[in-house]
Each structure stands twice: as structure tokens, then as C-alpha cells.
Amino acid sequence: MKPASWNHAEQFVAEDDVLRAARARADEVGVTPIGAGGGAALRFLAAVLDARTVVEIGTGTGVSGLWMLRGMRPDGVLTTVDIEAEHQRLAKETFADAGIPPQRARTISGAALDVLPRLTDGHYDLVFCDGDKREYSAYLREALRLLRPGGVVAFDNALWHDRVADAAQRDEETVAIRELGRQVAEHESLVPVLLPVGDGLLLAKKEWAGED
């Protein structure tokens, strides 16, 4: 794909002033949020799932969370987890600026692998992972427990700055993302797809029991 076509696809769904302000906050605190193309894909996915319950690992300043909230049901609740309480404070500003009622965004401060085991099995429509890349395989295990049948898990940075496709790249994060891709592709209970939007968005649907 030529760069002009990639840029056209990334910008096909335009971001508004609220999202641009959230990105400015992210720059100030050194957070790299999902790109506009990936955000639009998450909103579309939440809408297709008619999502009422979503878990997000990596709140940042609320960019991805707002995209998903805008695709969810009007009564949907986003549960978003981040180790940085300050980031979550900024995310709450983003949600408030967008007119999202406070009860629709539940922020939990803490390490994802400490928080996720406390969430309800089989309760969630969508789990979005954008935390520590070295923990992606552990997030997958938690997501499979948390998702209802038919729910979807999504991972950002699945191409990791073009490093995953380059076999010569063997740093810890790249290896972890590469291993995640193998696990998802080979899992008997998942229907996977890798979308080349942004830095790569890996999606997998948890099949219904008895589904071929």
C-alpha cells in the first residue's frame, strides 16, 4: 500500500476537537494512544457487537476509551485499567469533555494482572489490550475468561513498528507480540484477523460453544 493510500485510510473517519485535545494531553505525559484508524475500527467493533460491557487495559488519556464509548450502547459501561492514576484523571477530563456520563466509565488504578482476575467471568463483550507488550499473552488468557461467547479481544501494536514481521528483531517486546500472534492464530476457540491499521490491530472472536 502506498503511503498516500494508508494515510487516506487512517484519516477516513476524522477525529473531533475532544479527541485532538486528548492526544495533546497524551503528548504532554508521554503516552502514545491508538491512531485514528485503529480508534475508528474499535468504535465500529463496539457498535457491531452492540457492546454493553467493555474492558480496556491501558487507559492513557482516554483516546481509545472514547472511541469505544462512542460505539457502545447508550447504557454501556467501559471498565478501564491503568497503573498511572494521573493518566486516568486526564482520561476522565476527556470523557467529560465528550459529554460521557461519569457512570459509563469505571476507572481502576492498578497493574492489569492484579485487577483483571477480580473481574467477572464471561461478562464482557469486548476486551481491548494496550498495556505492557510483554504481558500480552497473559492478557489473552484473562480475556478468554472475561469474554462472553461471541465476544472479541483486540490488541493494539500488533505490528510493533514493523518489527514483528522482521525475523531479525528479537527484543523482548517484539518476541512477546510475535508469540501472541502465534497463540491467537492457532487457538481452536478463536476466529482471528490482523488488520494493518495504525501499528496493527489484532482481533479474535471467542466462538460460541458448539460452533464450527
Side-chain angles (χ1 to χ4, degrees):
M1 183 183 295
K2 294 181 179 179
S5 294
W6 185 88
N7 287 329
H8 177 74
E10 283 292 300
Q11 299 168 15
F12 182 72
V13 180
E15 294 193 322
D16 61 7
D17 289 342
V18 176
L19 283 165
R20 286 191 287 270
R23 289 192 184 280
R25 294 186 188 105
D27 287 341
E28 291 173 1
V29 296
V31 170
T32 303
I34 196 167
L42 289 176
R43 183 182 69 169
F44 179 83
L45 183 60
V48 167
L49 290 169
D50 197 26
R52 177 178 288 172
T53 51
V54 174
V55 173
E56 176 183 49
I57 302 166
T59 308
T61 58
V63 173
S64 51
L66 181 55
W67 274 111
M68 290 187 289
L69 282 162
R70 286 175 167 174
M72 294 166 64
R73 295 167 55 110
D75 60 346
V77 175
L78 171 72
T79 298
T80 181
V81 181
D82 201 295
I83 200 166
E84 296 288 348
E86 173 63 11
H87 295 174
Q88 293 191 320
R89 184 187 69 78
L90 296 173
K92 289 178 181 178
E93 289 185 18
T94 296
F95 301 152
D97 289 348
I100 303 295
Q103 65 270 21
R104 291 197 59 207
R106 178 172 65 146
T107 57
I108 303 177
S109 180
L113 295 180
D114 292 335
V115 174
L116 296 177
R118 305 202 302 263
L119 303 182
T120 304
D121 291 12
H123 180 67
Y124 296 92
D125 302 301
L126 173 62
V127 176
F128 173 58
C129 307
D130 191 14
D132 188 334
K133 312 311 170 193
R134 297 166 297 181
E135 296 180 348
Y136 266 15
S137 289
Y139 297 164
L140 175 63
R141 289 193 296 272
E142 290 296 328
L144 290 173
R145 178 183 61 80
L146 293 172
L147 287 170
R148 63 165 174 83
V152 173
V153 60
F155 293 88
D156 192 24
N157 304 114
L159 297 175
W160 198 231
H161 316 302
D162 297 319
R163 298 175 71 86
V164 171
D166 182 355
Q169 302 296 328
R170 301 293 300 170
D171 61 277
E172 189 176 3
E173 291 177 322
T174 300
V175 169
I177 297 170
R178 196 178 287 139
E179 173 63 15
L180 169 78
R182 184 193 64 78
Q183 291 173 347
V184 169
E186 295 177 357
H187 201 290
E188 293 182 354
S189 298
L190 295 174
V191 179
V193 63
L194 176 56
L195 302 180
V197 297
D199 194 30
L201 190 63
L202 176 63
L203 308 176
K205 175 196 170 192
K206 179 179 177 180
E207 291 192 297
W208 290 90
E211 193 172 298
D212 294 328

